[in-house]
Amino acid sequence: MSLRVLPVPDGLVGERVDAALARMTGLSRSRAGELCAAGAVRLEGRALGKSDRLQAGQLLEVDLPDPRPSGPVATPVEGLELLYEDADIVVVDKPAGVAAHPSMGWDGPDVLGALKAMQVQVATSGAAERQGIVSRLDVGTSGAMVVAKGERAYSVLKRAFREHAVSKTYHALVQGHLDPLRGTIDAPIGRHPSREWKMAIIDGGRESVTHYDVIEVMPAACLAQVDLETGRTHQIRVHMAAVGHPCVGDETYGADPRLTERTGLRRQWLHAVELGLAHPVTGEWMTFTSSYPADLSHALDVLRLS
């Protein structure tokens, strides 16, 4: 176990400890509840129960489980489908609630474990827990994602992502109305100075460029097509929040919890709808698309009718 000190974010004030801890760490809510029961979640040395409510300014002391030591564990994942597979690459349609690979503090399903359960071999390049991973989607973001199966494919795709030679298109449902309807957000992103589970626009952060184009306007929100020039952690979520229009459901970055409740969302409304890349061996340009999952379609329908 590893001790972590986690400040309570404003968006989680008043939440139950188990629900808030799940959002803050990526653990499942049941696993967060187990940690509470074991006395692993404390406030000023006092153990907290899972149903205790959090207050502003509190610092939680949490004994988080260490990462799995031996890489991905074969675990079937309901809803994860293969969009394409050949000897060099596999493209998956990743559901929300699934990580790209195993990591510290996450004991839920991951793409590599799902591929292992499907007997899909991936490249051995990279750290043991990230073998074959050339680009990731957040746990709460669904859509198209590519994994390298061969070593040459891994090397070529890593370079392609690094050089921004891959086309990555998302749809994001954001609060309010973006103005102008088409634009570019160019602001550096780095680790949040006081909340390590978040990212933020900071001086000295990495170059981050997001292009957006509003494709539908609703009374309380708008749907935007987003094309990434760079690929930073939480890039779309951070940039949209920075211009005052967080993704619907993304309470980590300031979304209105009342709107979240109306839509029934349990994560941010963000979906990787299209992935375009040159095949790492043949050079052929290939495009893969992913349809909205049921929870995003439902939220969209709710806001269209409101």
Side-chain angles (χ1 to χ4, degrees):
M1 303 287 277
S2 301
L3 175 64
R4 297 272 293 279
V5 177
L6 304 176
V8 175
D10 295 341
L12 296 181
V13 171
E15 287 277 356
R16 286 169 52 109
V17 171
D18 55 353
L21 189 60
R23 282 181 174 268
M24 293 162 69
T25 65
L27 292 169
S28 67
R29 185 165 175 173
S30 61
R31 181 65 175 124
E34 291 172 359
L35 290 178
C36 292
V41 184
R42 299 175 297 278
L43 175 65
E44 298 180 350
R46 176 178 63 84
L48 294 177
K50 65 180 182 180
S51 60
D52 289 343
R53 300 285 175 170
L54 296 178
Q55 299 178 20
Q58 290 180 329
L59 293 175
L60 302 185
E61 303 159 9
V62 185
D63 296 322
L64 286 176
D66 294 324
R68 287 175 282 186
S70 57
V73 176
T75 307
V77 174
E78 183 179 356
L80 186 143
E81 298 180 359
L82 303 189
L83 297 175
Y84 177 82
E85 182 185 9
D86 63 19
D88 304 296
I89 63 173
V90 57
V91 181
V92 304
D93 197 351
K94 186 187 85 67
V98 178
H101 56 75
S103 62
M104 178 178 292
W106 176 253
D107 64 352
D110 59 80
V111 169
L112 292 185
L115 291 177
K116 190 170 184 178
M118 299 166 79
Q119 299 185 339
V120 175
Q121 299 294 318
V122 300
T124 58
S125 298
E129 72 278 8
R130 298 194 301 271
Q131 290 180 347
I133 296 293
V134 293
S135 180
R136 295 174 289 183
L137 293 177
D138 293 346
V139 170
T141 301
S142 51
M145 174 182 156
V146 64
V147 179
K149 293 181 65 178
E151 309 313 314
R152 178 182 175 187
Y154 179 87
S155 177
V156 172
L157 285 175
K158 285 290 283 187
R159 183 171 64 251
F161 276 97
R162 186 169 59 249
E163 296 176 353
H164 316 313
V166 176
S167 172
K168 297 170 286 184
T169 301
Y170 296 74
H171 281 182
L173 184 65
V174 304
Q175 292 181 195
H177 299 148
L178 286 161
D179 184 16
L181 296 178
R182 175 181 297 176
T184 296
I185 305 170
D186 185 349
I189 291 176
R191 188 68 60 181
H192 194 287
S194 61
R195 300 173 182 176
E196 61 181 86
W197 68 94
K198 291 180 64 175
M199 308 300 288
I201 293 175
I202 59 171
D203 291 337
R206 301 177 70 187
E207 178 190 19
S208 306
V209 182
T210 301
H211 306 286
Y212 71 85
D213 189 358
V214 173
I215 56 180
E216 184 178 352
V217 176
M218 288 146 270
C222 63
L223 181 65
Q225 177 171 304
V226 181
D227 293 282
L228 294 184
E229 193 170 309
T230 54
R232 309 304 177 208
T233 301
H234 297 184
Q235 178 173 323
I236 297 172
R237 300 167 64 189
V238 171
H239 273 175
M240 288 301 169
V243 296
H245 300 282
C247 295
V248 175
D250 193 1
E251 294 180 24
T252 296
Y253 287 101
D256 184 347
R258 294 168 299 179
L259 198 59
T260 301
E261 185 176 359
R262 278 175 55 197
T263 59
L265 286 170
R266 299 180 65 84
R267 47 109 166 197
Q268 66 269 11
W269 204 113
L270 183 60
H271 186 68
V273 295
E274 186 174 290
L275 176 66
L277 53 85
H279 190 280
V281 175
T282 68
E284 175 190 3
W285 185 261
M286 310 180 76
T287 301
F288 309 97
T289 59
S290 169
S291 301
Y292 298 158
D295 63 333
L296 300 191
S297 293
H298 172 74
L300 197 55
D301 289 341
V302 168
L303 293 185
R304 281 171 174 159
L305 295 172
S306 61

